[in-house]
Amino acid sequence: MRKIGFPKLNLPSIHHSTAAIHPKNLSAGIVSGLLAATGPPVIILEAAANGNFTDAQTIFWMFSVYFFGGLFSVVLPLYYRIPIVGAHSITGVAFLATITSQVPYNQLIGSYIITSLLILLVGILGLFSKFMKYVPKEIIAAMMAGIITSYVVRLIVSIQHLPLIGGTALLTYFLFSKWKLRVPPVIAAVFSGFIVLLLTYNFDSPAESNIGFVMPQIQLPEFNLLTIFTVSVPLALLILSNDAAPGIGALEQNNFKPPINRIVTLSGIFSLFANLFGGQSANVAGMMTAICSGEETGIKEKRYIAAIVSGILIIMFGIFSWWTVPAIKALPSEFVSMLAGFALFGVLGSSLNLSFSQPKMMMSVTFTFVIAMSNISLFYISAPVWALVAGALIANFIERNVEKQVGKG
């Protein structure tokens, strides 16, 4: 077992931190924070609605993932001077949206805790690379694509129902994608759509949707062997493959030397704190880490400031979740579906690209994709789990055997 040691903490002075702030790392941090606050909250609300969560439980979920995810994004960059950005797993939430209606609330909390302990164990034992080999990344990507396809399809349906708002958002998305500006197309599309919504839509009275301040409370877990298998294991795989792997990879591509096992370990620890208050995770974020670690963020030694700025914005979003939850609930359902679709559009594209990148795995990833998309439930086990099992079995026992036979021939 590898021993996880942490270097001596050497926090910068206030004067040094202020001097390190530059328009480039400041803007990158703001963009990263806005990315976390635009689409993912909508998917949390949908998952909570599917599970018939109370308003308080929904706020607890929103508070915990953003507060502790933001704290992760402040503490680790200060500690390591590396732009390690923390948030929560958007792919994990999309997966949970298919689960919450089938699993009691307290069992969900228990399954989150097991997920965090699995991630913690992977980090402590240094098993990150080995752990990901048991289930091919193409299979995980195909499962993810199957889960989120319906969200992206609803994006098109929503544009049909709100043609002016949706058309403006879609055109903005295409233009920002073509021009490759620093502002991600998703953020530009959401803000342009929101501006048109404010100008054209008649909202209900704010008093009707006001929930009021809710104090975060510890949520009691309940452990169940079936939910550990159907929720904890797939959720851990998603966080490790879709969040940890891209985030660590982005740091390495930008010539940083991230402490891989420590990042995974701390993702498990911070997630445990989020679990206690009703959230599924607080871990390293892939896309946001890529934004804050790139060359556009400025001098390499100062890029960690961007991660801290992002973390502060995310923390504030979590603290004011008692206000943001009713505000999002007041939006028209078609617009909410549009936000979710834009948030997951890029994830769907990258998932499909990765899952079908190996011609020799065409059968396994196709079955994985179709099963995950079917949203079936058999023996109280959800479609994503059956998709993982079927895909892994086909990949390991059928396609590999065929490949070996071809090699011998």
Side-chain angles (χ1 to χ4, degrees):
M1 182 174 73
R2 295 187 181 183
K3 185 178 180 181
I4 302 294
F6 295 96
K8 183 179 179 181
L9 183 60
N10 183 25
L11 296 177
S13 64
I14 296 177
H15 174 74
H16 181 273
S17 298
T18 305
I21 297 177
H22 186 274
K24 286 188 175 181
N25 56 42
L26 182 62
S27 62
I30 292 173
V31 168
S32 173
L34 289 176
L35 189 62
T38 48
V42 172
I43 307 173
I44 289 179
L45 291 188
E46 179 168 345
N50 291 346
N52 293 317
F53 289 11
T54 65
D55 288 336
Q57 289 170 340
T58 305
I59 292 172
F60 296 156
W61 187 350
M62 194 81 75
F63 162 80
S64 59
V65 294
Y66 281 95
F67 180 82
F68 290 104
L71 201 60
F72 183 101
S73 195
V74 172
V75 173
L76 267 71
L78 280 174
Y79 202 95
Y80 294 109
R81 302 293 198 277
I82 296 176
I84 307 168
V85 183
H88 68 94
S89 175
I90 183 174
T91 55
V93 175
F95 161 69
L96 290 172
T98 68
I99 295 291
T100 51
S101 62
Q102 305 169 34
V103 181
Y105 178 77
N106 297 97
Q107 288 186 18
L108 279 173
I109 304 300
S111 66
Y112 298 162
I113 292 174
I114 298 299
T115 297
S116 300
L117 291 175
L118 287 173
I119 295 172
L120 177 62
L121 191 63
V122 168
I124 290 176
L125 299 177
L127 298 174
F128 180 62
S129 299
K130 296 178 181 178
F131 186 75
M132 296 310 301
K133 290 180 181 179
Y134 285 99
V135 180
K137 60 182 182 295
E138 292 83 2
I139 298 299
I140 298 175
M143 180 198 71
M144 193 66 248
I147 292 173
I148 64 179
T149 294
S150 61
Y151 287 96
V152 182
V153 170
R154 278 184 289 175
L155 165 64
I156 306 302
V157 176
S158 299
I159 292 174
Q160 181 187 20
H161 291 157
L162 299 173
L164 179 60
I165 298 170
T168 302
L170 190 61
L171 179 61
T172 304
Y173 183 88
F174 288 145
L175 290 176
F176 273 71
S177 299
K178 177 179 174 60
W179 293 336
K180 297 188 182 299
L181 301 175
R182 281 185 59 90
V183 177
V186 172
I187 294 180
V190 168
F191 273 88
S192 64
F194 190 71
I195 290 172
V196 178
L197 178 72
L198 290 177
L199 295 174
T200 61
Y201 189 80
N202 293 321
F203 290 91
D204 295 331
S205 173
E208 295 179 8
S209 60
N210 186 36
I211 296 174
F213 178 76
V214 177
M215 179 67 69
Q217 297 177 8
I218 298 292
Q219 304 298 290
L220 297 177
E222 182 180 324
F223 299 97
N224 179 280
L225 187 60
L226 182 61
T227 56
I228 290 173
F229 175 70
T230 58
V231 180
S232 302
V233 175
L235 185 57
L237 284 170
L238 285 172
I239 293 171
L240 290 171
S241 62
N242 292 345
D243 296 290
I248 293 169
L251 291 171
E252 292 177 334
Q253 289 172 12
N254 287 289
N255 300 314
F256 290 98
K257 295 181 179 179
I260 296 174
N261 293 329
R262 292 170 187 164
I263 290 175
V264 175
T265 300
L266 289 167
S267 291
I269 292 173
F270 276 82
S271 291
L272 281 172
F273 283 105
N275 302 156
L276 294 176
F277 291 92
Q280 88 284 359
S281 67
N283 50 267
V284 58
M287 189 180 301
M288 294 159 60
T289 298
I291 291 172
C292 292
S293 61
E295 293 181 359
E296 300 84 359
T297 310
I299 301 172
K300 180 183 175 183
E301 290 74 18
K302 307 299 181 183
R303 293 177 195 171
Y304 73 94
I305 296 296
I308 296 173
V309 172
S310 177
I312 292 172
L313 290 177
I314 295 171
I315 288 173
M316 295 303 295
F317 189 87
I319 290 175
F320 287 96
S321 57
W322 60 272
W323 181 83
T324 55
V325 167
I328 296 173
K329 283 188 171 184
L331 297 173
S333 59
E334 293 86 357
F335 186 75
V336 171
S337 295
M338 193 184 304
L339 293 183
F342 276 119
L344 292 171
F345 189 84
V347 179
L348 176 61
S350 59
S351 296
L352 288 172
N353 182 59
L354 174 58
S355 57
F356 290 98
S357 61
Q358 298 292 336
K360 62 184 180 182
M361 296 183 64
M362 192 64 64
M363 183 192 302
S364 59
V365 297
T366 301
F367 269 99
T368 301
F369 174 75
V370 172
I371 294 171
M373 191 175 174
S374 70
N375 201 28
I376 63 168
S377 178
L378 187 62
F379 302 120
Y380 301 101
I381 299 175
S382 62
V385 179
W386 286 118
L388 278 179
V389 172
L393 289 175
I394 294 171
N396 287 289
F397 295 102
I398 295 179
E399 290 173 330
R400 282 186 181 175
N401 288 339
V402 171
E403 186 181 358
K404 289 179 181 178
Q405 291 174 5
V406 171
K408 290 179 181 179

